[in-house]
Amino acid sequence: MAALFWFVVFLAAFLALAWHRVRLGTATGVIAALLLVCTLTSTGLGLGLFLWLLFAAIVVPLNVTAIRRRWITRPALDLFARVLPTLSATERTALEAGTVWWEGEMFSGAPDWRRLERLPEAELSAREEAFLDGPVQQLLDLCDEWRITHEDADLSPEAWRFIKAERFWAMIIPERYGGLGFSAYAHSCVLAKLGSGPAGGTVGPIVAVPNSLGPAELLMHYGTEAQKDHYLPRLASGDEIPCFGLTSPHAGSDAGAIPDRGVVCHGEWNGEPVLGMRLTWDKRYITLAPVATVLGLAIRMYDPDGLLGDDVDLGVTCALVPTDTAGVHTGRRHFPASAPFQNGPTWGTDVFVPLDCIIGGRAMIGQGWRMLMECLSVGRSISLPSGSTGDAIASARLTGAYAVVRRQFNVSIGRFEGVQEALARIAGRTYACESVRRFTANAVDLGEKPSVASGIAKYHVTTLAQQVAKDAMDVHAGKAVMLGPSNPVARRFQAAPVNITVEGANILTRSMMIFGQGAIRCHPYVLDEIEAANDPDREAALDAFDALLYAHIGHDLSAAARSLVMGVTGGRTSAAGRVRELAPHYRALNRYSANLALVADLAMATLGGSLKFRESLSARLGDVLSYLYIASATLKRFVEDGAHAEDLPLVRWVCEDAFAAIEAALAGVIRHLPNRPAAWLARALIFPIGRRAQGPSDALGRQLADMLQTPGPQRERLTPRCYADQTHRRGLSLFEAAMQATLDAADLQARLDRAVKNGEIRADHPAERIEAAAGRGLFDADEARRMRDLYALQMAVIHVDDFDPAEMQSVVARERAQTSGPG
């Protein structure tokens, strides 16, 4: 019994010391004191001597610096250097670009929730609010989705003029250059509202690209003063239309392998001999290329004649080329997933331009990859998550309204549990999208360049929005597949893959980028350990690595202790934020953060450099990091929205869905970890009493479904700033007018349904039933009018379009039919 008692005491002491990351010397003293009491009270001389010798054998090498460095740290450094993943120049640049933000807390194993609560709230200025309510609303009023996508394959001339006149392309350009100088959050809100409107898949990219990765952003960060003074005012006014060429047929996601080149040489420019470069490129998928006046290019620079120095390969470089330069070609337009925004290929062969066309001038030769990585993280933080969030918000409102209006079996379809499941997923995923959009855009305003968080936002928001679009299609059913002006959801479903694929295909973002970068950038020690291992001064390397190694071991022991204890208690022993209602979610996240810290280090320790080639494992580890981030953003949003108690079901749904995904990902990592003893250890520490998360319940889902079908402040908070025209004749405004009328007439509809059920009214057609009820005095004149108006609205919503066969033919087909004649 005494042995069991002391075993429990030492285990509890070890777990407590590891949990709190107690310093090695202090921990040694605590264990020594306990051992002294144990040997004085409970052991004989022989056993006591053995325990003290064992204790000394462990703690002396750890506490005596000279012994530790020679016999432990130096071999560990040599082993680390051997298993260290080989980093290419482009990988190193990507790792060094940007900053680590909240995602770093997720890797810590002990997130600081006070830090999350102290982050300033994302807010709009009065001028930014006015832009959203004015020009953004007016631009969307100009967009006829069916005409744009089916007839003109472009925005109207009025819309193009409006975009230029209202400086939509100048949101990120400072006011001193004629721009709007908006915050990143305002920029994001504009793109989200555009995404929620008709033809959002067309107008959104047209507005987004000049404000994202492109000439304006690159010029602002890296351009010479002369380049800024020349281009930025012209870009702000729309006198210059920009595009940026990065993707080539031979280098898509692997943008560092671009084959497009620039060769330094002498030539003539505007009649004068200058030192310049001959550019050869072949780019595709370039948004605005068909209408651009200035082309940004990423090319690889070479100096074979040594005109700039001794190096031949100068590296990736970014340049600006006027599209009217001789030899610049723009091809015919691409047609991206039925969203006809201006997009197409561009190419040129031996096009001569001066070196002054390099963004930032000669000093920035070879710096293009770094420039792109830093700016790409900002664009991925804003453009794609924002547009996709707008899509999800519109789909949520449209589908909630449709579920009220559309009746089957004499009840609104939103009463069926199968439909409620879809509505719950739509509501929960829309809430998550908006939370991540707001959280990540605000990071940019706080001065961050969140390379890892931007990958999380890009991948998960675009994927969640696509899932929302799919569920919306299922609920709208037959109406959703009949294209035409009356169908407001199908184009969103069709265009969703655009955001999925651009700026890095989502498959590679998940399987290579999120954890691939996150494991090194966000980990508290790995990047510094890599730097130490690469230090040519071996003694300096040993000094640095010694401190890092033991801090890293303490980190792992803490993660193991926290995983085990919180795996048993469900995190109840851990810290939480100030909002009491959120405490269970904070504590669950503490547990999963510790799990990530533990299993990530086990994977890196046992697989070494080969981990980056284990893409499925990397993807699952990235999923854990991602869902920790999504849940954190959700908790932050709830507080920023005012901590309304009625919004708690949304928070619960997102968090419970995230926790189930995290546990599934952790179980997947453990199952497929090649080193089985490490996997067994991970399982024992992470799931000591098995998996606990089960996902959202049906009852919770029904609460979310009701939210989407109930007009009011809660629904507005769930779907903020969603576009609706003011006519109540099309799109969302029509659907919501019909929904409100349906809800307002619920008592009249119930009266009519009872009369039909009781046999008082025998008509089958809904319109005939209304007239029969009016004729029998079941409705008075005003009630009959309301029911007739309701029926007209409901029919307008459920109406689908039909066409003359000639209308469905392309212009080419019609012309061919006219010239060939019958037969």
Side-chain angles (χ1 to χ4, degrees):
M1 184 62 72
L4 178 61
F5 169 79
W6 281 108
F7 175 80
V8 172
V9 168
F10 279 105
L11 177 61
F14 177 80
L15 290 174
L17 294 169
W19 178 293
H20 294 290
R21 295 286 303 275
V22 173
R23 294 174 62 87
L24 179 61
T26 303
T28 301
V30 170
I31 297 299
L34 288 174
L35 184 58
L36 178 61
V37 174
C38 174
T39 54
L40 290 176
T41 62
S42 304
T43 68
L45 179 62
L47 179 58
L49 180 61
F50 170 78
L51 292 175
W52 278 101
L53 289 173
L54 178 63
F55 175 70
I58 295 172
V59 302
V60 170
L62 292 176
N63 284 276
V64 179
T65 303
I67 298 175
R68 183 180 71 233
R69 290 193 179 186
R70 179 175 179 181
W71 296 105
I72 301 177
T73 305
R74 190 180 296 277
L77 176 59
D78 293 339
L79 176 63
F80 186 80
R82 286 198 301 273
V83 302
L84 187 69
T86 302
L87 298 179
S88 66
T90 54
E91 286 176 318
R92 181 170 290 278
T93 300
L95 286 172
E96 293 172 352
T99 59
V100 175
W101 187 55
W102 179 253
E103 62 274 27
E105 290 286 346
M106 298 296 95
F107 253 97
S108 72
D112 181 358
W113 299 115
R114 300 298 190 212
R115 179 189 174 194
L116 182 71
E117 293 172 333
R118 289 193 300 268
L119 290 175
E121 182 176 340
E123 293 181 318
L124 296 170
S125 68
R127 189 167 64 93
E128 292 165 343
E129 287 273 17
F131 190 80
L132 281 161
D133 295 337
V136 177
Q137 179 77 24
Q138 295 161 25
L139 174 58
L140 290 171
D141 286 341
L142 292 172
C143 294
D144 183 324
E145 189 270 343
W146 181 250
R147 181 172 178 178
I148 289 169
T149 59
H150 187 71
E151 298 175 6
D152 296 341
D154 197 1
L155 300 183
S156 67
E158 293 81 5
W160 280 104
R161 286 194 293 269
F162 190 82
I163 287 171
K164 293 181 180 181
E166 296 297 330
R167 295 178 292 171
F168 273 84
W169 290 335
M171 286 190 285
I172 66 170
I173 296 175
E175 292 182 79
R176 67 179 181 274
Y177 294 110
L180 296 175
F182 281 175
S183 66
Y185 178 58
H187 172 196
S188 175
C189 288
V190 169
L191 295 179
K193 184 166 182 177
L194 290 176
S196 74
T202 300
V203 69
I206 288 172
V207 172
V209 166
N211 291 287
S212 181
L213 175 62
E217 186 171 17
L218 292 169
L219 284 167
M220 285 164 50
H221 287 92
Y222 310 107
T224 65
E225 291 305 313
Q227 289 172 336
K228 293 177 184 178
D229 291 340
H230 174 75
Y231 277 114
L232 290 180
R234 297 172 62 79
L235 290 168
S237 65
D239 293 334
E240 296 278 11
I241 300 178
C243 69
F244 192 86
L246 178 59
T247 303
S248 83
H250 306 289
S253 295
D254 184 13
I258 53 176
D260 311 289
R261 67 183 185 275
V263 179
V264 180
C265 62
H266 290 285
E268 188 174 289
W269 183 259
N270 293 333
E272 299 289 335
V274 297
L275 183 63
M277 51 189 173
R278 294 200 177 278
L279 305 177
T280 298
W281 72 92
D282 181 11
K283 306 286 190 181
R284 62 179 181 175
Y285 310 153
I286 311 306
T287 298
L288 293 182
V291 295
T293 62
V294 58
L295 167 64
L297 279 176
I299 48 93
R300 196 169 194 92
M301 286 277 288
Y302 297 93
D303 184 15
D305 297 327
L307 299 177
L308 298 178
D310 296 331
D311 294 330
V312 174
D313 185 348
L314 303 181
V316 177
T317 302
C318 296
L320 287 180
V321 180
T323 56
D324 60 3
T325 303
V328 176
H329 299 282
T330 300
R332 298 186 300 174
R333 289 175 57 185
H334 300 313
F335 193 11
S338 297
F341 56 90
Q342 293 283 343
N343 187 284
T346 175
W347 69 91
T349 303
D350 291 335
V351 176
F352 182 80
V353 295
L355 293 182
D356 288 346
C357 287
I358 295 169
I359 297 176
R362 297 189 188 187
M364 298 307 291
I365 291 175
Q367 299 299 309
W369 185 238
R370 178 175 64 85
M371 294 160 63
L372 292 171
M373 287 299 98
E374 291 179 348
C375 291
L376 190 64
S377 70
V378 175
R380 289 162 64 88
S381 299
I382 297 173
S383 300
L384 299 172
S386 302
S388 291
T389 296
D391 271 334
I393 283 172
S395 293
R397 289 185 74 127
L398 285 162
T399 308
Y402 188 76
V404 172
V405 173
R406 183 70 166 123
R407 287 168 57 87
Q408 294 283 275
F409 305 102
N410 293 323
V411 295
S412 294
I413 63 172
R415 299 274 299 276
F416 296 113
E417 289 191 357
V419 173
Q420 289 173 344
E421 286 183 10
L423 292 174
R425 291 192 298 267
I426 289 171
R429 288 166 177 166
T430 298
Y431 193 80
C433 287
E434 171 65 11
S435 301
V436 173
R437 177 196 73 83
R438 184 189 304 183
F439 192 53
T440 312
N442 195 34
V444 178
D445 282 329
L446 296 176
E448 303 291 342
K449 294 181 179 179
S451 55
V452 177
S454 69
I456 293 172
K458 189 269 178 180
Y459 169 71
H460 284 278
V461 174
T462 59
T463 299
L464 289 169
Q466 187 181 46
Q467 293 167 343
V468 168
K470 176 185 177 298
D471 277 326
M473 291 287 290
D474 284 349
V475 174
H476 289 256
K479 178 179 175 61
V481 299
M482 300 303 168
L483 293 179
S486 301
N487 185 341
V489 296
R491 292 295 187 191
R492 300 183 187 282
F493 177 74
Q494 289 178 310
V498 174
N499 288 346
I500 292 287
T501 59
V502 298
E503 292 194 17
N506 267 7
I507 287 176
L508 295 184
T509 301
R510 175 177 178 260
S511 62
M512 295 179 65
M513 291 180 58
I514 294 175
F515 184 77
Q517 285 186 311
I520 298 177
R521 289 302 312 275
C522 300
H523 195 287
Y525 304 108
V526 167
L527 186 58
D528 290 336
E529 288 170 335
I530 290 174
E531 294 298 327
N534 288 323
D535 191 337
D537 184 339
R538 301 314 295 166
E539 288 306 312
L542 186 63
D543 287 342
F545 193 78
D546 183 66
L548 291 167
L549 175 63
Y550 291 95
H552 194 156
I553 291 172
H555 167 77
D556 286 344
L557 291 175
S558 177
R562 292 172 67 85
S563 292
L564 177 61
V565 173
M566 288 189 286
V568 173
T569 66
R572 291 182 180 84
T573 54
S574 62
R578 290 190 176 92
V579 180
R580 180 176 56 83
E581 294 85 353
L582 301 181
H585 307 309
Y586 284 124
R587 289 170 176 154
L589 289 172
N590 288 333
R591 175 194 170 196
Y592 297 129
S593 174
N595 295 164
L596 175 63
L598 173 65
V599 77
D601 273 9
L602 283 173
M604 287 188 286
T606 57
L607 289 170
S610 68
L611 178 57
K612 75 176 184 178
F613 302 109
R614 302 271 187 161
E615 294 174 21
S616 295
L617 277 177
S618 180
R620 293 184 182 98
L621 289 164
D623 287 345
V624 179
L625 175 60
S626 296
Y627 282 105
L628 287 167
Y629 184 87
I630 291 168
S632 298
T634 299
L635 300 181
K636 179 66 172 173
R637 177 194 177 176
F638 174 77
V639 175
E640 288 187 359
D641 277 352
H644 298 278
E646 58 266 34
D647 292 347
L648 279 171
L650 288 162
V651 177
R652 285 182 55 207
W653 194 98
V654 174
C655 287
E656 290 178 14
D657 184 64
F659 299 159
I662 287 171
E663 291 201 7
L666 289 168
V669 172
I670 293 169
R671 178 185 176 190
H672 294 95
L673 199 62
N675 188 306
R676 298 317 297 161
W680 298 332
L681 176 63
R683 185 179 299 278
L685 294 173
I686 291 173
F687 298 123
I689 56 175
R691 290 168 60 177
R692 304 167 69 122
Q694 298 179 347
S697 67
D698 290 346
L700 181 59
R702 285 192 289 272
Q703 290 181 267
L704 268 63
D706 288 343
M707 291 179 194
L708 276 189
Q709 299 176 86
T710 306
Q714 185 179 24
R715 190 167 182 263
E716 294 295 327
R717 286 193 300 273
L718 171 59
T719 56
R721 301 186 189 88
C722 188
Y723 169 78
D725 76 279
Q726 305 304 311
T727 67
H728 302 306
R729 295 176 183 170
R730 64 171 186 163
L732 180 61
S733 62
L734 171 64
F735 276 56
E736 299 216 319
M739 175 179 69
Q740 190 63 62
T742 300
L743 295 171
D744 290 344
D747 58 332
L748 300 181
Q749 185 67 59
R751 192 188 309 169
L752 180 59
D753 291 342
R754 283 195 300 270
V756 172
K757 184 176 181 180
N758 295 336
E760 298 176 53
I761 294 175
R762 299 185 179 279
D764 294 321
H765 194 280
E768 295 174 355
R769 289 177 176 178
I770 293 171
E771 297 308 321
R776 292 178 61 85
L778 201 63
F779 295 148
D780 62 25
D782 180 64
E783 290 171 337
R785 178 191 57 78
R786 287 173 59 196
M787 290 299 289
R788 293 186 189 105
D789 291 345
L790 170 60
Y791 175 73
L793 279 171
Q794 290 174 332
M795 286 304 298
V797 166
I798 67 175
H799 167 76
V800 297
D801 301 285
D802 52 77
F803 303 93
D804 185 281
E807 294 180 87
M808 301 176 69
Q809 293 178 318
S810 68
V811 173
V812 173
R814 286 198 296 270
E815 291 176 349
R816 186 185 301 120
Q818 291 169 1
T819 57
S820 63

